[in-house]
């Protein structure tokens, strides 16, 4: 017997080998115009008896589990005391457990007090995946993110101060051609201020179900960037990132036409040189990404 998930079920690529428990269903915000992950679900929080039963069952089936991811998109929205109860019980039932992670919206990080975040961290919640998407307030408003660059930076710094590993996502092409420069400039500024441990760069990919909503909410004609323009954005982003601490950078998601990876600040020049090589050898480098338009 295995877990009976309420689909669709999502997790970050780096959680591919993690055991997933759905402690919440859906997303309490669910208004980001670029995201259709939880549009088919109404947000709800699963009761303790259901969560406990699943933990008990899976601890017998997979007792050597080392990593656990708490789904859906809004696990951190749970009351801190309830979240702590879940986390502590997971460590009781899985003797070699090393890491528990979850998605974290900026607003949910900010809603928790510093002491609540530290208590959860001390209990064993280790890592947050936080969507920055853009550092431009213009773009953030147009895609109805429900956050500003300032609140995103505050959330990132608050999570890091409480001891969490922080992995952030940004989206190339999110501002279209019109707002491309502002989008990248603002995004680099947020990354420089927040200095997360990991950064993943995706490229905008709109599922058919939300494309019209995205275009309507954008409030002006949206002109998507081409693959080569997305590569230009990636180059500009890397060029403008200036951090002192190590930031592991990946642009190898399936939505990306071209892949780049490295660690700032050490690999910055090497990444820029690779992009320059890609631009000089288009006959060798072939786009492999998804197509959103």
């Amino acid at each position: 017997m295995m877990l009976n998930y309420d689909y669709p079920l999502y997790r970050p690529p780096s959680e591919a080998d993690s055991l997933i428990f759905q402690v919440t269903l859906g997303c309490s915000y669910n208004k980001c115009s670029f995201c259709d992950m939880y549009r088919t679900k109404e947000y709800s929080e699963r009761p303790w008896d259901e969560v406990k039963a699943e933990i008990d069952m899976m601890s017998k089936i997979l007792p050597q589990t080392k990593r656990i991811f708490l789904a859906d998109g809004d696990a951190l929205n749970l009351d801190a005391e309830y979240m702590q109860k879940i986390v502590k019980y997971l460590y009781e039932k899985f003797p070699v457990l090393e890491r528990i992670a979850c998605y974290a919206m900026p607003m949910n990080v900010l809603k928790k007090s510093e002491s609540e975040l530290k208590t959860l961290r001390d209990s064993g919640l280790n890592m947050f995946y936080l969507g920055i998407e853009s550092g431009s307030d213009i773009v953030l408003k147009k895609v109805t993110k429900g956050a500003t660059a300032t609140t995103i930076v505050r959330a990132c710094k608050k999570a890091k101060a409480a001891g969490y590993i922080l992995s952030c996502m940004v989206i190339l092409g999110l501002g279209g051609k019109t707002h491309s420069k502002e989008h990248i400039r603002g995004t680099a500024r947020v990354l420089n201020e927040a200095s997360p441990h990991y950064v993943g760069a995706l490229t905008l990919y709109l599922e058919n179900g939300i494309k019209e909503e995205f275009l309507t909410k954008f409030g002006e004609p949206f002109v998507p960037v081409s693959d080569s323009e997305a590569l230009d954005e990636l180059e500009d982003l890397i060029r403008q990132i200036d951090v002192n601490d190590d930031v592991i950078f990946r642009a190898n998601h399936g939505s990306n036409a071209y892949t780049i990876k490295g660690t700032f600040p050490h690999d910055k020049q090497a990444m820029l040189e690779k992009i320059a090589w890609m631009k000089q050898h288009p006959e060798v480098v072939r786009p492999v990404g998804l197509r959103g338009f």
Side-chain angles (χ1 to χ4, degrees):
M1 183 180 179
M2 296 296 282
L3 290 168
N4 183 25
Y5 290 123
D6 185 318
Y7 290 97
L9 179 68
Y10 295 94
R11 48 88 182 148
S14 55
E15 299 292 332
D17 296 325
S18 300
L19 176 58
I20 302 175
F21 289 101
Q22 284 178 305
V23 296
T24 62
L25 300 179
C27 171
S28 65
Y29 181 65
N30 216 17
K31 296 176 184 176
C32 296
S33 65
F34 54 87
C35 176
D36 76 332
M37 288 168 59
Y38 305 110
R39 293 305 181 91
T40 60
K41 297 183 181 183
E42 183 175 339
Y43 175 75
S44 63
E45 300 177 354
R46 300 191 62 214
W48 171 243
D49 59 342
E50 291 182 9
V51 174
K52 180 180 182 297
E54 291 186 348
I55 294 172
D56 289 340
M57 176 181 68
M58 296 310 297
S59 67
K60 296 174 183 176
I61 298 173
L62 297 172
Q64 298 303 303
T65 293
K66 293 184 177 181
R67 291 188 175 187
I68 285 174
F69 182 76
L70 300 179
D72 274 335
D74 226 6
L76 194 63
N77 194 54
L78 289 174
D79 175 79
E81 187 175 337
Y82 183 29
M83 189 74 156
Q84 183 186 16
K85 184 176 183 179
I86 293 170
V87 169
K88 292 179 75 171
Y89 194 64
L90 286 168
Y91 279 97
E92 288 178 22
K93 301 300 289 186
F94 293 94
V96 297
L97 184 58
E98 297 175 352
R99 189 176 89 184
I100 300 177
C102 68
Y103 287 126
M105 290 193 299
M107 67 181 75
N108 284 340
V109 175
L110 294 175
K111 281 194 297 186
K112 294 283 189 290
S113 69
E114 291 180 7
S115 61
E116 286 175 332
L117 287 174
K118 289 179 179 177
T119 297
L120 285 171
R121 176 64 187 88
D122 291 342
S123 299
L125 180 62
N126 312 92
M127 184 171 185
F128 291 153
Y129 292 89
L130 185 147
I132 291 174
E133 331 306 357
S134 176
S136 161
D137 284 345
I138 294 172
V139 175
L140 289 169
K141 186 174 182 179
K142 285 181 172 296
V143 301
T144 54
K145 169 68 177 175
T148 65
T150 299
T151 57
I152 290 171
V153 170
R154 281 177 51 215
C156 290
K157 288 184 174 180
K158 189 174 182 179
K160 286 182 64 182
Y164 290 89
I165 300 168
L166 188 62
S167 180
C168 292
M169 290 73 73
V170 300
I171 303 177
L172 302 173
L174 190 60
K177 290 186 180 183
T178 306
H179 301 284
S180 179
K181 294 298 182 183
E182 162 64 17
H183 167 51
I184 295 303
R185 184 167 55 249
T187 301
R189 185 170 57 244
V190 166
L191 291 175
N192 290 339
E193 291 187 42
S195 192
H197 303 93
Y198 297 88
V199 174
L202 292 66
T203 303
L204 180 65
Y205 176 76
L206 297 176
E207 299 284 355
N208 287 331
I210 58 165
K211 186 180 293 186
E212 287 305 315
E213 177 187 334
F214 177 89
L215 296 175
T216 300
K217 285 184 174 180
F218 203 78
E220 64 180 87
F222 180 82
V223 184
V225 300
S226 64
D227 287 335
S228 62
E229 288 166 335
L231 188 59
D232 289 338
E233 284 198 353
L234 182 59
E235 180 181 28
D236 288 345
L237 179 64
I238 291 172
R239 196 176 300 280
Q240 293 178 55
I241 291 176
D242 183 14
V243 291
N244 295 318
D245 298 328
D246 284 0
V247 175
I248 297 171
F249 184 85
R250 295 289 183 268
N252 56 1
H253 186 263
S255 61
N256 297 333
Y258 302 94
T259 62
I260 289 288
K261 61 181 180 179
T263 301
F264 287 98
H266 324 290
D267 300 330
K268 177 174 178 174
Q269 188 57 39
M271 287 189 282
L272 291 172
E273 289 172 1
K274 182 176 181 181
I275 291 176
W277 185 90
M278 288 177 170
K279 290 184 173 183
Q280 292 167 5
H281 298 83
E283 75 285 355
V284 177
V285 182
R286 291 288 181 265
V288 295
L290 300 168
R291 295 294 174 267
F293 286 87

